[in-house]
Amino acid sequence: MRTPIIAGNWKMFKTVGEAVELVKALLAEVSSLEGREVVICPPFTALYALRPLLVGTRLGLGAQNVYHETQGAYTGEIAPGMLVDVGCQYVILGHSERRQYFGETDASVSRKLRAALTAGLTPIVCVGETKTERDAGQAETVVGSQIQGSLAGLTPTEMAKCIVAYEPVWAIGTGDTATPEDAQAMHAAIRAMLADQFGGETASGVRIQYGGSVKPDNIDVLMSQADIDGALVGGAALTASSFLRIVKYQ
């Protein structure tokens, strides 16, 4: 059985004070949830302040990015060990916004992935196609290339420690969510790709999240799909009421 995982990607939102306020509101209700993992991924500036609030709770802490080196003269970057030091257990890698705005590639994601695993972090590896690529019938080809490149060289044991997030780029922040049937079809295709690359047993255990305008009013039907094992939530993770409704999916 794959334990569902819901992660909130806060992106470049929330001051430290706002982050603390939101986490306190979440903790009041998340502690009673069973059968699922819940993770928040705040900006780097809030991680240290949130750590003491989350110790011993059911709310996991993740970062939105990491660099592939352990230390060095890399101005503006964050090392995997630094994330572990402030209490992170998860890290998002290869988000489409990182690929689009900051030039990240499958090769750079692969390097970060290896560094994250070495540090003991659980990577959430993002893949997804653009609207142009989907309209051209290239969605599975594009996602397959990202899967192959981003996860290159991993052993089945290493892959089993990773999470994949399918985020169609055309659905991120647009309000335009993939239909449950389309999302399920791509998730099933991704699982088949993982089986080709790492074997069926490994693929059957890997959790695949859906991301892209996940909201309280579509989470239930998304989570009812056979190969959707969770959600990577953007805007709806920024308020306690909407995120709590999502993590309490039925």
Side-chain angles (χ1 to χ4, degrees), residues 25-36 38 56-59 244 247-248:
L26 295 176
L27 286 174
E29 302 206 32
V30 168
S31 59
S32 61
L33 289 177
E34 299 288 343
R36 64 204 67 186
V38 183
T57 73
R58 298 181 62 88
L59 193 56
L244 285 170
V247 301
K248 291 179 180 179

Side-chain angles (χ1 to χ4, degrees), residues 23-120:
V23 163
K24 287 181 177 178
L26 295 176
L27 286 174
E29 302 206 32
V30 168
S31 59
S32 61
L33 289 177
E34 299 288 343
R36 64 204 67 186
E37 291 179 32
V38 183
V39 179
I40 54 166
C41 299
F44 290 130
T45 51
L47 294 173
Y48 184 76
L50 295 178
R51 178 181 184 178
L53 299 178
L54 300 178
V55 173
T57 73
R58 298 181 62 88
L59 193 56
L61 185 63
Q64 298 174 24
N65 188 30
V66 73
Y67 196 56
H68 63 267
E69 296 286 357
T70 57
Q71 61 181 5
Y74 304 105
T75 300
E77 295 296 336
I78 301 290
M82 295 174 179
L83 296 182
V84 174
D85 188 47
V86 294
C88 287
Q89 303 141 298
Y90 305 83
V91 61
I92 299 171
L93 299 177
H95 191 281
S96 65
E97 290 159 0
R98 298 292 314 172
R99 295 175 186 258
Q100 179 181 356
Y101 301 134
F102 303 102
E104 292 199 7
T105 63
D106 295 334
S108 65
V109 172
S110 177
R111 289 192 293 271
K112 293 180 178 188
L113 174 55
R114 288 190 166 279
L117 287 172
T118 298

